[in-house]
């Protein structure tokens, strides 16, 4: 189950719920068996400059190779650029969860 975190300066009027929904859809387009994406949004009350940081983490799997990660990063970056006002600084990161990470449902 992927995780997506959207951190942004609160001066930006973003529809975080819709952005996270679309991020989940983009991940599932590349990897239909990825499952639901646990998405969270954190508007920063105090910030220096308008900015957005999107981080997506996935469990490492054989089919999630360098090409997969590069393509997903390109998809996410292209999408996030469409929903941000011009002049907004943005960073996007796609990474794997570490070897000491466990997930499950209780």
């Amino acid at each position: 189950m992927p995780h997506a975190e959207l951190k942004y300066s609160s001066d930006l009027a973003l529809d975080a719920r819709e952005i996270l929904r679309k991020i989940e859809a983009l991940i599932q387009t590349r990897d239909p068996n990825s499952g639901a994406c646990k998405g969270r949004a954190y508007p920063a009350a105090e910030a220096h400059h308008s900015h957005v940081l999107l981080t997506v983490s996935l469990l490492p799997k054989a089919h999630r190779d360098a090409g997969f990660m590069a393509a997903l990063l390109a998809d996410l970056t292209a999408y996030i650029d469409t929903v941000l006002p011009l002049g907004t600084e943005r960073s996007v990161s796609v990474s794997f969860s570490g070897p000491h990470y466990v997930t499950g449902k209780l």
Side-chain angles (χ1 to χ4, degrees), residues 13-106:
L14 301 180
D15 184 348
R17 187 177 304 268
E18 176 58 20
I19 291 170
L20 293 169
R21 187 201 64 73
K22 179 65 175 179
I23 289 167
E24 179 180 70
L26 286 169
I27 294 167
Q28 290 174 347
T29 296
R30 289 269 167 209
D31 186 352
N33 296 316
S34 62
C37 179
K38 296 183 220 173
R40 294 167 292 283
Y42 304 99
E46 300 293 329
H48 185 61
H49 301 293
S50 295
H51 66 280
V52 169
L53 169 61
L54 170 61
T55 58
V56 174
S57 60
L58 306 146
L59 291 172
K61 306 249 178 170
H63 66 280
R64 293 178 182 162
D65 58 10
F68 171 89
M69 295 296 274
L72 182 58
L73 178 62
D75 291 347
L76 294 169
T77 302
Y79 167 66
I80 203 75
D81 286 354
T82 68
V83 298
L84 299 180
L86 288 178
T88 303
E89 296 286 338
R90 62 98 175 99
S91 301
V92 181
S93 172
V94 179
S95 63
F96 290 120
S97 301
H100 303 288
Y101 173 82
V102 65
T103 187
K105 188 172 186 176
L106 302 180

